[in-house]
Amino acid sequence: ALYAVKVRAEAMQRASEAVPSGMLSVLGRRETNYQLACLEARKHCESLGIKDPVCTISNYLFPDGRVIAGHIQALQFLQENARKYYFVRTKMLPVSGAFHTRLMEPAVEPLAEVLKSMEIQKPLLCVYSNVDGKKYMHSKHIKKLLVKQVVSPVLWEQTMHSVYERKQGTEFPYTYEVGPGNQLGAILRKCNLKAWKQYKHVDDLEDED
């Protein structure tokens, strides 16, 4: 599994070096039209002579929380026109490429090849794919979605809805975020406040007691 991660990471790094690209964290409002913003950013890139530009949502984090990825020129255009698109806040992420977009297509084949040589069994517990927000079903399904995930947007918000879907009146499970940082808990609070009330952060440096 770690070898597959290594192959994936190196292939994605090579893909990111081929085109100046990046990722932009965006906090929007109800009026925000992300699709229109990305379309106009792509048109701006075309006006600069960039062929077949990329600018698309790569992460659905929580309501009004998105990450947009693509050509650097497109992301700069969005930052400069943030008010027009009703962006409350924008921030360039410290990454080297437009992950989870078609700019990562060169990384698909290397990952697919290494997965062919691996034996993957059906999970004993429910494991969700952030490609479609649904549970993995079997080995072939897992391999297919792991490859697709490289070039597909991360549906984190939708996955949270699937994980915490309950009949009315049913208690939510306890949720633990283990390790440094509590970003996932902050996102859960925005996606499902009732589920978040059963959330606890466990720091990696806490004493055993």
Side-chain angles (χ1 to χ4, degrees):
L2 288 175
Y3 177 67
V5 170
K6 180 177 183 290
V7 169
R8 178 182 183 271
E10 291 174 347
M12 290 174 73
Q13 180 61 33
R14 288 193 297 271
S16 68
E17 291 170 356
V19 177
S21 57
M23 304 180 80
L24 180 71
S25 176
V26 176
L27 181 62
R29 294 188 285 188
R30 288 186 178 182
E31 308 97 307
T32 303
N33 187 330
Y34 298 97
Q35 301 300 337
L36 175 63
C38 290
L39 173 62
E40 294 190 351
R42 290 195 296 272
K43 287 182 178 179
H44 169 72
C45 286
E46 289 173 349
S47 73
L48 299 176
I50 298 173
K51 294 182 179 180
D52 198 21
V54 172
C55 183
T56 186
I57 297 175
S58 61
N59 288 257
Y60 293 80
L61 298 177
F62 53 85
D64 297 320
R66 303 283 186 270
V67 175
I68 296 175
H71 282 79
I72 284 292
Q73 295 88 337
L75 304 184
Q76 291 171 343
F77 172 83
L78 292 178
Q79 283 191 298
E80 292 167 2
N81 294 274
R83 183 174 295 182
K84 175 183 177 182
Y85 301 116
Y86 299 102
F87 294 160
V88 177
R89 187 171 68 245
T90 63
K91 181 182 179 182
M92 288 295 296
L93 298 182
V95 296
S96 59
F99 304 124
H100 306 294
T101 72
R102 59 184 173 83
L103 287 177
M104 290 295 111
E105 283 179 357
V108 167
E109 188 65 26
L111 178 60
E113 282 299 313
V114 75
L115 288 175
K116 285 180 183 178
S117 65
M118 293 179 61
E119 179 185 354
I120 299 179
Q121 299 178 6
K122 181 179 178 179
L124 298 176
L125 302 172
C126 294
V127 179
Y128 292 77
S129 168
N130 59 39
V131 171
D132 57 11
K134 298 177 182 178
K135 300 173 186 175
Y136 285 123
M137 303 302 293
H138 48 74
S139 177
K140 287 184 179 179
H141 185 228
I142 293 171
K143 291 182 179 181
K144 178 182 177 181
L145 289 183
L146 286 177
V147 171
K148 191 175 180 181
Q149 201 260 359
V150 174
V151 292
S152 300
V154 174
L155 305 185
W156 188 261
E157 179 183 349
Q158 296 85 336
T159 303
M160 290 294 92
H161 292 320
S162 295
V163 170
Y164 292 99
E165 185 178 9
R166 296 287 187 281
K167 291 182 180 179
Q168 194 167 1
T170 305
E171 288 189 8
F172 286 99
Y174 289 100
T175 300
Y176 299 92
E177 181 173 1
V178 181
N182 57 1
Q183 186 178 8
L184 298 182
I187 292 175
L188 176 59
R189 183 176 185 177
K190 293 179 179 179
C191 290
N192 191 323
L193 183 59
K194 290 183 178 179
W196 176 80
K197 290 179 179 178
Q198 300 280 59
Y199 161 88
K200 178 177 172 56
H201 173 239
V202 181
D203 194 276
D204 58 334
L205 300 177
E206 281 187 4
D207 295 331
E208 289 184 6
D209 58 339

